[in-house]
Amino acid sequence: MLILSHISKTFNAGTVNERAALSDFSLHLAPGDFVTIIGSNGAGKSTLFNAICGSFLTDSGSITLDGEDITFMPEFIRAKSIGRLYQDPMRGSAPHMTIEENLALAAGSGGWFSHVSKADKERFRDRLALLEMGLEDRMRQPVGLLSGGQRQALTLLMATFTAPKLLLLDEHTAALDPGTAEKVLKITKDVVEADHITTLMVTHNMQQALELGNRTLMMASGHIVLDVGGAERSAMTTDDLIARFKAGSGKALDNDRIILS
């Protein structure tokens, strides 16, 4: 489904600020894989997502999605096949547009530029009802009036309204309170499983990384230092992850946010 072959990216090359964000990075995701990613700041997680989305061209290597080489494909074309959620719940939706209009754009119904059919409105209501947040009764309200958790749940719905080939979740619950984060994670799991969406999810929570999906990666300095799944992953604890990180990277995990979570 997704094949990253020997990709590298260095920022500010040839200057005192030169930084190798990804170094000869390779990864293969099978269809339906749900992979969680753990790593300290500067490990290359967001750079990896930006490379996949086409925010910049990699210095070397290739990226293949569903059998198509997208290495040099423009970002706006890749966006048709790749859904992405960010840590900031304010991103991903238009605050001055209504819930209905946002969903119409996500569904390709045209939003306020054209008439939204009665059938489309019913589809929107049915999808919103799955969130169990009462948004199906607020479709005419501007998205800017929603809470952060409601906006993030809506953004997830928009990103998966037409199931993407790949879903990228960049710490999409980190800015939410624990109760709301748990609810959004449940919605995430349900949506991904229902549509069998191939997913990469960055998280700072090691327990989440072991419980969600079917595979866990740990990154450091632009490399994968651990790739574990199956029975081995099922038997692992957070202490095991910390120990395996040290063994793979040659240094202790020093991110308090990850350790304390």
Side-chain angles (χ1 to χ4, degrees):
M1 167 55 72
L2 176 68
I3 301 173
L4 307 177
S5 181
H6 303 288
I7 65 171
S8 297
K9 182 61 182 181
T10 298
F11 294 102
N12 304 310
T15 73
V16 294
N17 296 317
E18 180 174 311
R19 180 175 67 87
L22 293 173
S23 302
D24 196 31
F25 187 100
S26 294
L27 176 66
H28 180 198
L29 267 62
D33 270 350
F34 186 165
V35 181
T36 56
I37 304 175
I38 285 277
S40 300
N41 292 336
K45 307 182 299 296
S46 291
T47 302
L48 171 64
F49 278 17
N50 288 335
I52 294 171
C53 287
S55 300
F56 51 71
L57 295 180
T58 56
D59 299 330
S60 59
S62 63
I63 303 174
T64 303
L65 180 62
D66 197 23
E68 182 178 12
D69 188 339
I70 64 170
T71 308
F72 300 104
M73 183 180 289
E75 183 174 14
F76 74 94
I77 296 180
R78 298 191 202 193
K80 298 176 182 178
S81 301
I82 301 174
R84 184 174 184 179
L85 268 73
Y86 298 85
Q87 180 175 334
D88 184 358
M90 302 301 110
R91 300 181 66 174
S93 57
H96 300 298
M97 293 170 56
T98 67
I99 295 173
E100 179 181 293
E101 289 168 341
N102 272 270
L103 285 173
L105 287 178
S109 302
W112 77 97
F113 293 115
S114 63
H115 176 67
V116 179
S117 70
K118 183 177 180 180
D120 281 337
K121 292 180 181 181
E122 288 302 315
R123 280 200 304 156
F124 300 161
R125 284 186 59 85
D126 290 344
R127 292 291 188 95
L128 288 167
L130 297 176
L131 302 180
E132 299 181 351
M133 292 181 170
L135 299 184
E136 66 273 17
D137 298 320
R138 301 172 59 185
M139 292 204 304
R140 301 297 295 173
Q141 288 190 3
V143 168
L145 297 179
L146 303 182
S147 68
Q150 289 170 332
R151 283 190 68 166
Q152 199 68 310
L154 176 63
T155 301
L156 175 62
L157 190 62
M158 292 170 61
T160 58
F161 199 92
T162 299
K165 294 179 179 179
L166 178 68
L167 179 63
L168 304 179
L169 305 172
D170 196 350
E171 293 197 77
H172 69 304
T173 63
L176 308 178
D177 66 81
T180 304
E182 185 176 349
K183 187 165 189 175
V184 172
L185 277 176
K186 181 184 182 304
I187 294 169
T188 301
K189 183 179 178 180
D190 291 345
V191 168
V192 168
E193 288 182 353
D195 291 327
H196 200 60
I197 302 173
T198 305
T199 303
L200 282 171
M201 186 183 87
V202 171
T203 176
H204 66 272
N205 188 307
M206 289 191 288
Q207 195 61 45
Q208 285 180 4
L210 290 173
E211 291 177 351
L212 291 172
N214 64 305
R215 184 174 164 195
T216 296
L217 308 179
M218 294 192 83
M219 290 181 61
S221 303
H223 299 277
I224 295 174
V225 297
L226 175 66
D227 184 349
V228 61
E232 181 183 7
R233 176 179 180 262
S234 298
M236 290 185 76
T237 65
T238 55
D239 287 340
D240 293 331
L241 275 183
I242 293 172
R244 292 287 295 274
F245 179 88
K246 184 176 182 179
S249 67
K251 59 183 180 181
L253 184 63
D254 58 1
N255 188 304
D256 290 342
R257 184 183 177 205
I258 294 176
I259 294 172
L260 293 175
S261 68

PDB file of all heavy atoms in Angstrom, residues 213-247:
ATOM      1  N   GLY A 213      -4.024  -0.117  16.908  1.00  0.00           N
ATOM      2  CA  GLY A 213      -3.438  -0.609  15.673  1.00  0.00           C
ATOM      3  C   GLY A 213      -2.811  -1.989  15.809  1.00  0.00           C
ATOM      4  O   GLY A 213      -3.057  -2.726  16.755  1.00  0.00           O
ATOM      5  N   ASN A 214      -1.981  -2.329  14.828  1.00  0.00           N
ATOM      6  CA  ASN A 214      -1.389  -3.662  14.789  1.00  0.00           C
ATOM      7  C   ASN A 214       0.135  -3.642  14.737  1.00  0.00           C
ATOM      8  O   ASN A 214       0.766  -4.699  14.652  1.00  0.00           O
ATOM      9  CB  ASN A 214      -1.922  -4.424  13.562  1.00  0.00           C
ATOM     10  CG  ASN A 214      -1.503  -3.789  12.245  1.00  0.00           C
ATOM     11  OD1 ASN A 214      -1.755  -2.605  12.015  1.00  0.00           O
ATOM     12  ND2 ASN A 214      -0.854  -4.556  11.372  1.00  0.00           N
ATOM     13  N   ARG A 215       0.716  -2.435  14.842  1.00  0.00           N
ATOM     14  CA  ARG A 215       2.165  -2.338  14.668  1.00  0.00           C
ATOM     15  C   ARG A 215       2.650  -1.028  15.283  1.00  0.00           C
ATOM     16  O   ARG A 215       1.942  -0.023  15.239  1.00  0.00           O
ATOM     17  CB  ARG A 215       2.488  -2.380  13.174  1.00  0.00           C
ATOM     18  CG  ARG A 215       3.935  -2.391  12.769  1.00  0.00           C
ATOM     19  CD  ARG A 215       3.989  -2.587  11.267  1.00  0.00           C
ATOM     20  NE  ARG A 215       5.271  -2.251  10.685  1.00  0.00           N
ATOM     21  CZ  ARG A 215       5.477  -2.063   9.375  1.00  0.00           C
ATOM     22  NH1 ARG A 215       4.449  -2.209   8.531  1.00  0.00           N
ATOM     23  NH2 ARG A 215       6.667  -1.741   8.918  1.00  0.00           N
ATOM     24  N   THR A 216       3.842  -1.018  15.888  1.00  0.00           N
ATOM     25  CA  THR A 216       4.399   0.177  16.513  1.00  0.00           C
ATOM     26  C   THR A 216       5.818   0.422  16.032  1.00  0.00           C
ATOM     27  O   THR A 216       6.635  -0.509  15.976  1.00  0.00           O
ATOM     28  CB  THR A 216       4.395   0.042  18.049  1.00  0.00           C
ATOM     29  OG1 THR A 216       3.046  -0.044  18.513  1.00  0.00           O
ATOM     30  CG2 THR A 216       5.058   1.244  18.715  1.00  0.00           C
ATOM     31  N   LEU A 217       6.088   1.681  15.686  1.00  0.00           N
ATOM     32  CA  LEU A 217       7.433   2.117  15.322  1.00  0.00           C
ATOM     33  C   LEU A 217       7.944   3.095  16.360  1.00  0.00           C
ATOM     34  O   LEU A 217       7.177   3.885  16.914  1.00  0.00           O
ATOM     35  CB  LEU A 217       7.451   2.823  13.962  1.00  0.00           C
ATOM     36  CG  LEU A 217       6.831   2.142  12.743  1.00  0.00           C
ATOM     37  CD1 LEU A 217       6.962   3.056  11.535  1.00  0.00           C
ATOM     38  CD2 LEU A 217       7.504   0.810  12.473  1.00  0.00           C
ATOM     39  N   MET A 218       9.253   3.070  16.612  1.00  0.00           N
ATOM     40  CA  MET A 218       9.909   4.121  17.387  1.00  0.00           C
ATOM     41  C   MET A 218      10.977   4.742  16.501  1.00  0.00           C
ATOM     42  O   MET A 218      11.735   4.033  15.829  1.00  0.00           O
ATOM     43  CB  MET A 218      10.512   3.574  18.676  1.00  0.00           C
ATOM     44  CG  MET A 218       9.489   3.068  19.669  1.00  0.00           C
ATOM     45  SD  MET A 218      10.172   2.734  21.329  1.00  0.00           S
ATOM     46  CE  MET A 218      10.133   4.388  22.038  1.00  0.00           C
ATOM     47  N   MET A 219      11.009   6.089  16.491  1.00  0.00           N
ATOM     48  CA  MET A 219      11.946   6.809  15.634  1.00  0.00           C
ATOM     49  C   MET A 219      12.925   7.625  16.470  1.00  0.00           C
ATOM     50  O   MET A 219      12.593   8.110  17.553  1.00  0.00           O
ATOM     51  CB  MET A 219      11.198   7.751  14.677  1.00  0.00           C
ATOM     52  CG  MET A 219      10.404   7.068  13.598  1.00  0.00           C
ATOM     53  SD  MET A 219       9.570   8.252  12.487  1.00  0.00           S
ATOM     54  CE  MET A 219      11.000   9.139  11.791  1.00  0.00           C
ATOM     55  N   ALA A 220      14.132   7.797  15.931  1.00  0.00           N
ATOM     56  CA  ALA A 220      15.151   8.656  16.546  1.00  0.00           C
ATOM     57  C   ALA A 220      16.091   9.125  15.447  1.00  0.00           C
ATOM     58  O   ALA A 220      16.536   8.326  14.611  1.00  0.00           O
ATOM     59  CB  ALA A 220      15.934   7.913  17.623  1.00  0.00           C
ATOM     60  N   SER A 221      16.347  10.426  15.408  1.00  0.00           N
ATOM     61  CA  SER A 221      17.324  11.007  14.480  1.00  0.00           C
ATOM     62  C   SER A 221      17.073  10.608  13.030  1.00  0.00           C
ATOM     63  O   SER A 221      18.012  10.307  12.276  1.00  0.00           O
ATOM     64  CB  SER A 221      18.749  10.610  14.880  1.00  0.00           C
ATOM     65  OG  SER A 221      19.018  11.006  16.210  1.00  0.00           O
ATOM     66  N   GLY A 222      15.796  10.576  12.638  1.00  0.00           N
ATOM     67  CA  GLY A 222      15.460  10.299  11.248  1.00  0.00           C
ATOM     68  C   GLY A 222      15.513   8.850  10.851  1.00  0.00           C
ATOM     69  O   GLY A 222      15.467   8.527   9.655  1.00  0.00           O
ATOM     70  N   HIS A 223      15.591   7.961  11.827  1.00  0.00           N
ATOM     71  CA  HIS A 223      15.652   6.520  11.563  1.00  0.00           C
ATOM     72  C   HIS A 223      14.564   5.797  12.345  1.00  0.00           C
ATOM     73  O   HIS A 223      14.072   6.295  13.353  1.00  0.00           O
ATOM     74  CB  HIS A 223      17.016   5.939  11.988  1.00  0.00           C
ATOM     75  CG  HIS A 223      18.196   6.503  11.288  1.00  0.00           C
ATOM     76  ND1 HIS A 223      18.609   6.066  10.054  1.00  0.00           N
ATOM     77  CD2 HIS A 223      19.062   7.486  11.654  1.00  0.00           C
ATOM     78  CE1 HIS A 223      19.693   6.743   9.677  1.00  0.00           C
ATOM     79  NE2 HIS A 223      19.978   7.608  10.638  1.00  0.00           N
ATOM     80  N   ILE A 224      14.242   4.583  11.908  1.00  0.00           N
ATOM     81  CA  ILE A 224      13.407   3.682  12.689  1.00  0.00           C
ATOM     82  C   ILE A 224      14.328   2.855  13.578  1.00  0.00           C
ATOM     83  O   ILE A 224      15.234   2.173  13.083  1.00  0.00           O
ATOM     84  CB  ILE A 224      12.580   2.752  11.785  1.00  0.00           C
ATOM     85  CG1 ILE A 224      11.569   3.550  10.954  1.00  0.00           C
ATOM     86  CG2 ILE A 224      11.841   1.714  12.624  1.00  0.00           C
ATOM     87  CD1 ILE A 224      10.819   2.711   9.936  1.00  0.00           C
ATOM     88  N   VAL A 225      14.131   2.922  14.897  1.00  0.00           N
ATOM     89  CA  VAL A 225      14.959   2.150  15.822  1.00  0.00           C
ATOM     90  C   VAL A 225      14.203   0.946  16.373  1.00  0.00           C
ATOM     91  O   VAL A 225      14.799   0.073  17.011  1.00  0.00           O
ATOM     92  CB  VAL A 225      15.481   3.027  16.978  1.00  0.00           C
ATOM     93  CG1 VAL A 225      16.386   4.120  16.437  1.00  0.00           C
ATOM     94  CG2 VAL A 225      14.351   3.622  17.798  1.00  0.00           C
ATOM     95  N   LEU A 226      12.905   0.885  16.141  1.00  0.00           N
ATOM     96  CA  LEU A 226      12.108  -0.265  16.549  1.00  0.00           C
ATOM     97  C   LEU A 226      10.891  -0.369  15.644  1.00  0.00           C
ATOM     98  O   LEU A 226      10.215   0.618  15.385  1.00  0.00           O
ATOM     99  CB  LEU A 226      11.648  -0.126  18.010  1.00  0.00           C
ATOM    100  CG  LEU A 226      10.699  -1.214  18.526  1.00  0.00           C
ATOM    101  CD1 LEU A 226      11.408  -2.563  18.575  1.00  0.00           C
ATOM    102  CD2 LEU A 226      10.148  -0.864  19.906  1.00  0.00           C
ATOM    103  N   ASP A 227      10.617  -1.575  15.167  1.00  0.00           N
ATOM    104  CA  ASP A 227       9.439  -1.866  14.364  1.00  0.00           C
ATOM    105  C   ASP A 227       8.902  -3.202  14.859  1.00  0.00           C
ATOM    106  O   ASP A 227       9.509  -4.245  14.633  1.00  0.00           O
ATOM    107  CB  ASP A 227       9.815  -1.937  12.878  1.00  0.00           C
ATOM    108  CG  ASP A 227       8.609  -2.152  11.965  1.00  0.00           C
ATOM    109  OD1 ASP A 227       7.518  -2.454  12.480  1.00  0.00           O
ATOM    110  OD2 ASP A 227       8.768  -2.007  10.737  1.00  0.00           O
ATOM    111  N   VAL A 228       7.785  -3.155  15.587  1.00  0.00           N
ATOM    112  CA  VAL A 228       7.320  -4.365  16.249  1.00  0.00           C
ATOM    113  C   VAL A 228       5.819  -4.543  16.039  1.00  0.00           C
ATOM    114  O   VAL A 228       5.052  -3.579  15.990  1.00  0.00           O
ATOM    115  CB  VAL A 228       7.656  -4.316  17.761  1.00  0.00           C
ATOM    116  CG1 VAL A 228       6.970  -3.137  18.433  1.00  0.00           C
ATOM    117  CG2 VAL A 228       7.307  -5.610  18.467  1.00  0.00           C
ATOM    118  N   GLY A 229       5.388  -5.767  15.904  1.00  0.00           N
ATOM    119  CA  GLY A 229       3.968  -6.079  15.729  1.00  0.00           C
ATOM    120  C   GLY A 229       3.691  -7.499  16.188  1.00  0.00           C
ATOM    121  O   GLY A 229       4.559  -8.187  16.735  1.00  0.00           O
ATOM    122  N   GLY A 230       2.451  -7.940  15.968  1.00  0.00           N
ATOM    123  CA  GLY A 230       2.086  -9.313  16.272  1.00  0.00           C
ATOM    124  C   GLY A 230       2.175  -9.668  17.743  1.00  0.00           C
ATOM    125  O   GLY A 230       1.991  -8.833  18.628  1.00  0.00           O
ATOM    126  N   ALA A 231       2.507 -10.934  18.013  1.00  0.00           N
ATOM    127  CA  ALA A 231       2.553 -11.441  19.384  1.00  0.00           C
ATOM    128  C   ALA A 231       3.618 -10.745  20.212  1.00  0.00           C
ATOM    129  O   ALA A 231       3.434 -10.508  21.413  1.00  0.00           O
ATOM    130  CB  ALA A 231       2.803 -12.951  19.365  1.00  0.00           C
ATOM    131  N   GLU A 232       4.723 -10.401  19.580  1.00  0.00           N
ATOM    132  CA  GLU A 232       5.799  -9.711  20.307  1.00  0.00           C
ATOM    133  C   GLU A 232       5.313  -8.375  20.851  1.00  0.00           C
ATOM    134  O   GLU A 232       5.564  -8.024  22.006  1.00  0.00           O
ATOM    135  CB  GLU A 232       6.996  -9.488  19.383  1.00  0.00           C
ATOM    136  CG  GLU A 232       8.170  -8.803  20.078  1.00  0.00           C
ATOM    137  CD  GLU A 232       9.324  -8.520  19.139  1.00  0.00           C
ATOM    138  OE1 GLU A 232       9.166  -8.740  17.916  1.00  0.00           O
ATOM    139  OE2 GLU A 232      10.375  -8.059  19.621  1.00  0.00           O
ATOM    140  N   ARG A 233       4.591  -7.631  20.028  1.00  0.00           N
ATOM    141  CA  ARG A 233       4.045  -6.332  20.464  1.00  0.00           C
ATOM    142  C   ARG A 233       2.996  -6.519  21.547  1.00  0.00           C
ATOM    143  O   ARG A 233       2.951  -5.767  22.524  1.00  0.00           O
ATOM    144  CB  ARG A 233       3.458  -5.604  19.256  1.00  0.00           C
ATOM    145  CG  ARG A 233       2.765  -4.283  19.563  1.00  0.00           C
ATOM    146  CD  ARG A 233       2.283  -3.694  18.249  1.00  0.00           C
ATOM    147  NE  ARG A 233       1.610  -2.423  18.413  1.00  0.00           N
ATOM    148  CZ  ARG A 233       0.285  -2.260  18.471  1.00  0.00           C
ATOM    149  NH1 ARG A 233      -0.498  -3.329  18.418  1.00  0.00           N
ATOM    150  NH2 ARG A 233      -0.238  -1.070  18.583  1.00  0.00           N
ATOM    151  N   SER A 234       2.140  -7.511  21.396  1.00  0.00           N
ATOM    152  CA  SER A 234       1.072  -7.751  22.362  1.00  0.00           C
ATOM    153  C   SER A 234       1.619  -8.018  23.753  1.00  0.00           C
ATOM    154  O   SER A 234       0.970  -7.703  24.759  1.00  0.00           O
ATOM    155  CB  SER A 234       0.209  -8.939  21.916  1.00  0.00           C
ATOM    156  OG  SER A 234      -0.414  -8.672  20.676  1.00  0.00           O
ATOM    157  N   ALA A 235       2.819  -8.600  23.828  1.00  0.00           N
ATOM    158  CA  ALA A 235       3.411  -8.951  25.116  1.00  0.00           C
ATOM    159  C   ALA A 235       4.262  -7.823  25.705  1.00  0.00           C
ATOM    160  O   ALA A 235       4.728  -7.939  26.841  1.00  0.00           O
ATOM    161  CB  ALA A 235       4.262 -10.209  24.964  1.00  0.00           C
ATOM    162  N   MET A 236       4.446  -6.743  24.960  1.00  0.00           N
ATOM    163  CA  MET A 236       5.337  -5.679  25.403  1.00  0.00           C
ATOM    164  C   MET A 236       4.659  -4.749  26.396  1.00  0.00           C
ATOM    165  O   MET A 236       3.441  -4.539  26.360  1.00  0.00           O
ATOM    166  CB  MET A 236       5.848  -4.859  24.209  1.00  0.00           C
ATOM    167  CG  MET A 236       6.816  -5.602  23.316  1.00  0.00           C
ATOM    168  SD  MET A 236       7.495  -4.540  22.005  1.00  0.00           S
ATOM    169  CE  MET A 236       8.670  -3.568  22.962  1.00  0.00           C
ATOM    170  N   THR A 237       5.473  -4.166  27.284  1.00  0.00           N
ATOM    171  CA  THR A 237       5.038  -3.127  28.205  1.00  0.00           C
ATOM    172  C   THR A 237       5.723  -1.819  27.830  1.00  0.00           C
ATOM    173  O   THR A 237       6.623  -1.800  26.985  1.00  0.00           O
ATOM    174  CB  THR A 237       5.403  -3.475  29.647  1.00  0.00           C
ATOM    175  OG1 THR A 237       6.847  -3.488  29.769  1.00  0.00           O
ATOM    176  CG2 THR A 237       4.856  -4.839  30.037  1.00  0.00           C
ATOM    177  N   THR A 238       5.308  -0.726  28.471  1.00  0.00           N
ATOM    178  CA  THR A 238       5.962   0.560  28.195  1.00  0.00           C
ATOM    179  C   THR A 238       7.427   0.507  28.617  1.00  0.00           C
ATOM    180  O   THR A 238       8.283   1.135  27.971  1.00  0.00           O
ATOM    181  CB  THR A 238       5.241   1.704  28.922  1.00  0.00           C
ATOM    182  OG1 THR A 238       5.159   1.413  30.319  1.00  0.00           O
ATOM    183  CG2 THR A 238       3.831   1.883  28.372  1.00  0.00           C
ATOM    184  N   ASP A 239       7.747  -0.210  29.685  1.00  0.00           N
ATOM    185  CA  ASP A 239       9.148  -0.356  30.097  1.00  0.00           C
ATOM    186  C   ASP A 239       9.951  -1.084  29.016  1.00  0.00           C
ATOM    187  O   ASP A 239      11.122  -0.753  28.765  1.00  0.00           O
ATOM    188  CB  ASP A 239       9.240  -1.128  31.419  1.00  0.00           C
ATOM    189  CG  ASP A 239       8.780  -0.307  32.610  1.00  0.00           C
ATOM    190  OD1 ASP A 239       8.755   0.942  32.495  1.00  0.00           O
ATOM    191  OD2 ASP A 239       8.437  -0.903  33.650  1.00  0.00           O
ATOM    192  N   ASP A 240       9.321  -2.057  28.383  1.00  0.00           N
ATOM    193  CA  ASP A 240       9.991  -2.761  27.280  1.00  0.00           C
ATOM    194  C   ASP A 240      10.295  -1.794  26.138  1.00  0.00           C
ATOM    195  O   ASP A 240      11.378  -1.852  25.531  1.00  0.00           O
ATOM    196  CB  ASP A 240       9.114  -3.901  26.762  1.00  0.00           C
ATOM    197  CG  ASP A 240       8.929  -5.018  27.769  1.00  0.00           C
ATOM    198  OD1 ASP A 240       9.832  -5.224  28.590  1.00  0.00           O
ATOM    199  OD2 ASP A 240       7.868  -5.666  27.727  1.00  0.00           O
ATOM    200  N   LEU A 241       9.335  -0.901  25.835  1.00  0.00           N
ATOM    201  CA  LEU A 241       9.550   0.073  24.768  1.00  0.00           C
ATOM    202  C   LEU A 241      10.740   0.966  25.077  1.00  0.00           C
ATOM    203  O   LEU A 241      11.572   1.249  24.203  1.00  0.00           O
ATOM    204  CB  LEU A 241       8.300   0.940  24.576  1.00  0.00           C
ATOM    205  CG  LEU A 241       7.177   0.412  23.681  1.00  0.00           C
ATOM    206  CD1 LEU A 241       6.073   1.455  23.576  1.00  0.00           C
ATOM    207  CD2 LEU A 241       7.694   0.062  22.291  1.00  0.00           C
ATOM    208  N   ILE A 242      10.813   1.437  26.323  1.00  0.00           N
ATOM    209  CA  ILE A 242      11.917   2.310  26.718  1.00  0.00           C
ATOM    210  C   ILE A 242      13.258   1.583  26.578  1.00  0.00           C
ATOM    211  O   ILE A 242      14.234   2.136  26.062  1.00  0.00           O
ATOM    212  CB  ILE A 242      11.714   2.807  28.164  1.00  0.00           C
ATOM    213  CG1 ILE A 242      10.493   3.732  28.232  1.00  0.00           C
ATOM    214  CG2 ILE A 242      12.954   3.535  28.659  1.00  0.00           C
ATOM    215  CD1 ILE A 242      10.098   4.129  29.633  1.00  0.00           C
ATOM    216  N   ALA A 243      13.283   0.338  27.014  1.00  0.00           N
ATOM    217  CA  ALA A 243      14.514  -0.445  26.924  1.00  0.00           C
ATOM    218  C   ALA A 243      14.901  -0.715  25.474  1.00  0.00           C
ATOM    219  O   ALA A 243      16.080  -0.617  25.102  1.00  0.00           O
ATOM    220  CB  ALA A 243      14.337  -1.768  27.683  1.00  0.00           C
ATOM    221  N   ARG A 244      13.906  -1.035  24.643  1.00  0.00           N
ATOM    222  CA  ARG A 244      14.190  -1.314  23.227  1.00  0.00           C
ATOM    223  C   ARG A 244      14.628  -0.057  22.498  1.00  0.00           C
ATOM    224  O   ARG A 244      15.449  -0.108  21.569  1.00  0.00           O
ATOM    225  CB  ARG A 244      12.943  -1.918  22.561  1.00  0.00           C
ATOM    226  CG  ARG A 244      12.600  -3.319  23.058  1.00  0.00           C
ATOM    227  CD  ARG A 244      13.556  -4.370  22.530  1.00  0.00           C
ATOM    228  NE  ARG A 244      13.462  -4.506  21.099  1.00  0.00           N
ATOM    229  CZ  ARG A 244      12.571  -5.296  20.464  1.00  0.00           C
ATOM    230  NH1 ARG A 244      11.714  -6.017  21.185  1.00  0.00           N
ATOM    231  NH2 ARG A 244      12.558  -5.369  19.162  1.00  0.00           N
ATOM    232  N   PHE A 245      14.080   1.105  22.907  1.00  0.00           N
ATOM    233  CA  PHE A 245      14.517   2.370  22.315  1.00  0.00           C
ATOM    234  C   PHE A 245      16.003   2.590  22.598  1.00  0.00           C
ATOM    235  O   PHE A 245      16.766   2.959  21.706  1.00  0.00           O
ATOM    236  CB  PHE A 245      13.701   3.537  22.877  1.00  0.00           C
ATOM    237  CG  PHE A 245      14.113   4.882  22.345  1.00  0.00           C
ATOM    238  CD1 PHE A 245      13.557   5.383  21.172  1.00  0.00           C
ATOM    239  CD2 PHE A 245      15.067   5.647  22.995  1.00  0.00           C
ATOM    240  CE1 PHE A 245      13.937   6.618  20.664  1.00  0.00           C
ATOM    241  CE2 PHE A 245      15.464   6.884  22.504  1.00  0.00           C
ATOM    242  CZ  PHE A 245      14.887   7.366  21.333  1.00  0.00           C
ATOM    243  N   LYS A 246      16.413   2.375  23.828  1.00  0.00           N
ATOM    244  CA  LYS A 246      17.818   2.571  24.193  1.00  0.00           C
ATOM    245  C   LYS A 246      18.721   1.615  23.429  1.00  0.00           C
ATOM    246  O   LYS A 246      19.792   1.993  22.953  1.00  0.00           O
ATOM    247  CB  LYS A 246      17.996   2.383  25.700  1.00  0.00           C
ATOM    248  CG  LYS A 246      19.417   2.663  26.183  1.00  0.00           C
ATOM    249  CD  LYS A 246      19.525   2.571  27.691  1.00  0.00           C
ATOM    250  CE  LYS A 246      20.946   2.906  28.151  1.00  0.00           C
ATOM    251  NZ  LYS A 246      21.074   2.840  29.637  1.00  0.00           N
ATOM    252  N   ALA A 247      18.278   0.359  23.303  1.00  0.00           N
ATOM    253  CA  ALA A 247      19.074  -0.631  22.579  1.00  0.00           C
ATOM    254  C   ALA A 247      19.203  -0.281  21.102  1.00  0.00           C
ATOM    255  O   ALA A 247      20.261  -0.458  20.491  1.00  0.00           O
ATOM    256  CB  ALA A 247      18.446  -2.016  22.737  1.00  0.00           C
TER     257      ALA A 247
END
